[in-house]
């Protein structure tokens, strides 16, 4: 009964964000891996633009990301698009540029990219970029994302794309949350061997779709070992939780797309078992899935936020071997552009839902679970996680109530926390760490030393692929010690 929403949502989003009707695409000549192109980035003496905006337009990044998802592009091609978009226009749909360059990728009508009207349609421009990138990528598997971008753009300054990797990755992470449904993460338990300490997992996705785990010993993570050889392929959304209640966290993936299936692989403490279908229609494309024990029976359940004009929230309860029928638990919560998540914020043993409005208002709303539905959305904080910051949910002071944290992900790399009182989040400018989670990294949370307080972790990715942990003291995250020196590569999902 809900199958109509995906097409309507994507179409409405593209029309709204571009402000232009879709024009017939004129694909780049696929016989020539370097055509069309040949232009100068706007950052180099633009002739027609007096300047370019200092930062990205989130509406543009959302459309580019959605087009990439719809085309099922590789992680490298997606990153290449964001690197190119940042170098060319700071991810803005510019109506000016060098010579006759236009739009987010500064494509030139005279070089075969399309008409000016077509190029100024962000969806069209992104499609043309990805068509060429998907053609070039298999021809040169050794290319970095920046080199792939250069093969499409044919810029005068090819090194600039790889140099923009950190900023591009940060925008890409933000776009995942803004688009919703695929990669919006606020926190989920990851104690895979049941020893009371959260571990880390990396999903390679793509065609290999391996799942690697590094177990925590309380002061570092052990070697990354393959626990599953085919789980969460392509652009599925993997998450973690204890779905059978045995004390060991398992993995779940939401396929989205045309099937909307949900698969679970149970942990035996040293590997994940086979992926089995636990639900055959849940979390449609564009929705944001999450995990939590919403009825307090000791089994983690699944939640999905539709994030469309209806803003419904659906739940499917776990019985230990499958998820039951999907039921609507809230009819207006977590609107499009917001960042929703799950956590037990009042400490009653039942997971509640939280949404961060972000932007300039930056409110945080909570709807409490009564075990059968979520109550009304109530504002618990009036300024938290503004703009494109990365919010997370966890019990950072160990009092049994989930709190909220935000990673600024800018040059300051600050981390702020607001503690739950059971009826609100207290604290607006309470800084728990002053240099953790840089732009391009992926921050997350978990109790990695087993002391009952959730800590902060960040995956650097890039060329180093380090993992740093800041342990919680209950009032701050201490330091930032390296717990692993090679885990969570570019394009992988790390939790």
């Amino acid at each position: 009964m809900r199958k109509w929403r995906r097409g309507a949502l994507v179409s409405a989003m593209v029309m709204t964000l571009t402000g232009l009707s879709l024009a017939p695409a004129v694909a780049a000549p696929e016989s020539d891996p370097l055509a069309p192109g040949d232009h100068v980035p706007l950052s180099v003496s633009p002739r027609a633009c007096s300047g370019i905006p200092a930062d990205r337009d989130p509406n543009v990044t959302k459309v580019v990301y959605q087009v990439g998802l719809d085309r099922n592009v590789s992680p490298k091609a997606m990153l290449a698009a964001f690197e190119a978009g940042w170098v060319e226009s700071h991810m803005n749909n510019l109506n000016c540029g060098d010579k006759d360059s236009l739009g987010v990728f500064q494509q030139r009508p005279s070089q075969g990219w399309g008409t000016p009207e077509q190029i100024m349609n962000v969806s069209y421009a992104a499609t043309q970029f990805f068509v060429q990138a998907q053609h070039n990528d298999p021809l040169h598997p050794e290319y970095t994302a920046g080199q792939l971008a250069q093969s499409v753009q044919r810029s005068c300054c090819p090194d600039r794309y790889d140099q923009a990797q950190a900023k591009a990755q940060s925008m890409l992470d933000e776009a995942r949350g803004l688009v919703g449904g695929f990669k919006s993460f606020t926190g989920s338990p990851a104690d895979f061997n049941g020893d009371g300490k959260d571990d880390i997992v990396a999903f390679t996705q793509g065609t290999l779709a391996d799942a690697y785990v590094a177990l925590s010993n309380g002061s570092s993570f052990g070697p990354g070992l393959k626990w599953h050889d085919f789980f969460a392929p392509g652009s599925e959304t993997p998450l973690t939780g204890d779905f059978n209640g045995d004390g060991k966290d398992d993995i779940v993936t939401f396929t989205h797309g045309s099937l909307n299936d949900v698969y679970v692989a149970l942990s035996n403490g040293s590997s994940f078992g086979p992926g089995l279908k636990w639900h055959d229609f849940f979390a449609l494309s564009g929705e944001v899935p999450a995990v939590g024990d919403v009825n307090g029976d000791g089994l983690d359940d699944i939640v999905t936020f539709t994030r469309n004009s209806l803003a419904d929230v659906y739940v499917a309860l776990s019985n230990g071997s499958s998820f039951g029928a999907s039921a609507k638990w809230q009819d207006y919560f977590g609107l499009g552009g917001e960042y929703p998540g799950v956590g037990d914020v009042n400490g009653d043993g039942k997971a509640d839902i939280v949404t961060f409005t972000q932007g300039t208002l930056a409110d945080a709303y909570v709807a409490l679970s009564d075990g059968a539905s979520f109550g009304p959305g109530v504002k618990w904080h009036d300024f938290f996680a503004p703009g494109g910051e990365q919010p997370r949910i966890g019990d950072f002071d160990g009092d049994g109530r989930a709190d909220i944290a935000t990673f600024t992900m800018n040059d300051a790399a600050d981390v702020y926390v607001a503690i739950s009182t059971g009826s609100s989040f207290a604290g607006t400018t309470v800084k728990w760490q002053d240099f953790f989670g840089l732009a391009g990294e992926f921050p997350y949370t978990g109790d990695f030393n087993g002391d009952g307080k959730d800590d902060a972790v960040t995956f650097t990715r890039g060329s180093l692929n380090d993992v740093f942990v800041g342990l919680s003291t209950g009032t701050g995250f201490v330091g930032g010690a390296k717990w692993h020196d090679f885990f969570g590569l570019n394009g992988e999902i790390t939790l």
Side-chain angles (χ1 to χ4, degrees):
M1 62 181 288
R2 298 162 60 214
K3 292 185 177 180
W4 61 270
R5 284 204 308 270
R6 181 180 186 274
L9 174 61
V10 172
S11 176
M13 181 182 71
V14 171
M15 293 291 290
T16 299
L17 297 181
T18 62
L20 295 169
S21 60
L22 293 176
V26 179
E30 296 199 7
S31 59
D32 182 356
L34 292 180
D38 191 16
H39 65 279
V40 180
L42 275 180
S43 54
V44 182
S45 302
R47 293 186 180 182
C49 288
S50 59
I52 59 176
D55 208 354
R56 82 281 179 265
D57 179 349
N59 289 335
V60 171
T61 62
K62 284 191 287 188
V63 174
V64 172
Y65 183 67
Q66 185 65 62
V67 171
L69 289 178
D70 291 344
R71 292 188 60 83
N72 196 30
V73 303
S74 68
K76 184 195 295 185
M78 186 74 86
L79 182 59
F82 276 72
E83 289 181 355
W86 177 254
V87 169
E88 305 293 352
S89 67
H90 282 186
M91 266 308 199
N92 289 270
N93 194 25
L94 301 176
N95 62 358
C96 56
D98 179 77
K99 299 185 175 72
D100 59 340
S101 299
L102 291 169
V104 59
F105 297 106
Q106 288 293 281
Q107 295 158 333
R108 297 180 60 191
S110 64
Q111 297 298 313
W113 286 103
T115 68
E117 292 78 11
Q118 289 173 327
I119 292 171
M120 285 300 295
N121 182 299
V122 177
S123 180
Y124 172 91
T127 298
Q128 300 315 299
F129 180 94
F130 284 125
V131 164
Q132 199 63 43
Q134 287 180 296
H135 176 265
N136 297 357
D137 196 5
L139 299 178
H140 297 281
E142 76 281 5
Y143 276 1
T144 65
Q147 290 170 329
L148 180 59
Q150 167 64 8
S151 76
V152 176
Q153 299 293 96
R154 296 183 63 189
S155 166
C156 71
C157 311
D159 294 339
R160 294 190 177 212
Y161 299 119
D162 274 326
Q163 292 169 1
Q165 178 181 316
K167 179 62 178 179
Q169 189 67 63
S170 179
M171 293 189 298
L172 179 53
D173 290 341
E174 177 192 32
R176 285 176 177 140
L178 293 173
V179 170
F182 287 90
K183 309 290 187 296
S184 180
F185 303 111
T186 55
S188 59
D191 179 10
F192 301 118
N193 62 349
D195 66 352
K197 297 184 289 290
D198 279 327
D199 313 301
I200 52 175
V201 60
F203 300 90
T204 64
Q205 301 223 281
T207 55
L208 290 178
D210 295 322
Y212 287 85
V213 167
L215 298 175
S216 172
N217 62 20
S219 58
S220 66
F221 297 118
L225 302 176
K226 188 188 293 186
W227 277 41
H228 205 292
D229 62 3
F230 195 77
F231 197 84
S235 296
E236 296 182 5
T237 301
L239 289 171
T240 60
D242 184 5
F243 304 111
N244 63 348
D246 66 352
K248 297 184 290 289
D249 287 313
D250 316 301
I251 52 176
V252 61
T253 187
F254 301 83
T255 66
H256 305 296
S258 59
L259 296 177
N260 304 296
D261 293 325
V262 183
Y263 287 84
V264 168
L266 298 175
S267 172
N268 62 20
S270 58
S271 66
F272 299 120
L276 302 177
K277 188 188 294 187
W278 278 40
H279 205 290
D280 62 3
F281 195 75
F282 195 86
L284 284 66
S285 293
E287 298 184 0
V288 174
V291 168
D293 181 8
V294 297
N295 64 346
D297 65 352
L299 307 175
D300 277 327
D301 313 300
I302 52 175
V303 179
T304 188
F305 301 84
T306 66
R307 284 189 14 129
N308 53 15
S309 59
L310 297 177
D312 293 324
V313 183
Y314 288 84
V315 168
L317 299 175
S318 173
N319 62 21
S321 58
S322 66
F323 297 118
S326 173
K328 187 190 295 185
W329 278 40
Q330 233 280 5
D331 62 3
Y332 196 73
F333 193 90
L335 284 67
E338 296 184 3
Y339 207 112
V342 172
D344 181 9
V345 297
N346 64 348
D348 67 352
K350 298 184 289 289
D352 313 299
I353 52 175
V354 181
T355 190
F356 303 88
T357 65
Q358 302 219 278
T360 56
L361 290 178
D363 294 322
Y365 285 84
V366 167
L368 298 175
S369 171
D370 62 11
S373 65
F374 297 119
V378 177
K379 187 188 294 186
W380 276 39
H381 203 293
D382 62 3
F383 194 77
F384 198 84
E389 294 185 4
Q390 292 284 301
R392 299 291 185 263
I393 301 171
D395 182 7
F396 303 116
D397 63 350
D399 66 353
R401 295 188 295 263
D403 314 302
I404 54 176
T406 185
F407 297 80
T408 63
M409 306 301 294
N410 53 18
D411 292 340
D414 293 323
V415 185
Y416 292 88
V417 169
I419 297 296
S420 172
T421 66
S423 58
S424 67
F425 296 120
T428 299
T429 57
V430 183
K431 188 187 296 186
W432 276 42
Q433 235 282 3
D434 62 2
F435 195 73
F436 194 88
L438 284 67
E441 298 182 1
F442 179 77
Y444 212 57
T445 64
D447 182 8
F448 303 113
N449 62 349
D451 66 352
K453 297 184 289 291
D454 282 327
D455 313 302
V457 63
T458 188
F459 301 85
T460 66
R461 296 188 292 207
S463 59
L464 296 177
N465 304 295
D466 292 325
V467 183
F468 289 85
V469 169
L471 295 175
S472 173
T473 64
T475 57
F477 296 122
V478 175
K482 187 188 295 186
W483 278 40
H484 205 291
D485 62 3
F486 195 76
F487 194 89
L489 283 65
N490 290 330
E492 297 183 356
I493 300 299
T494 47
L495 304 173

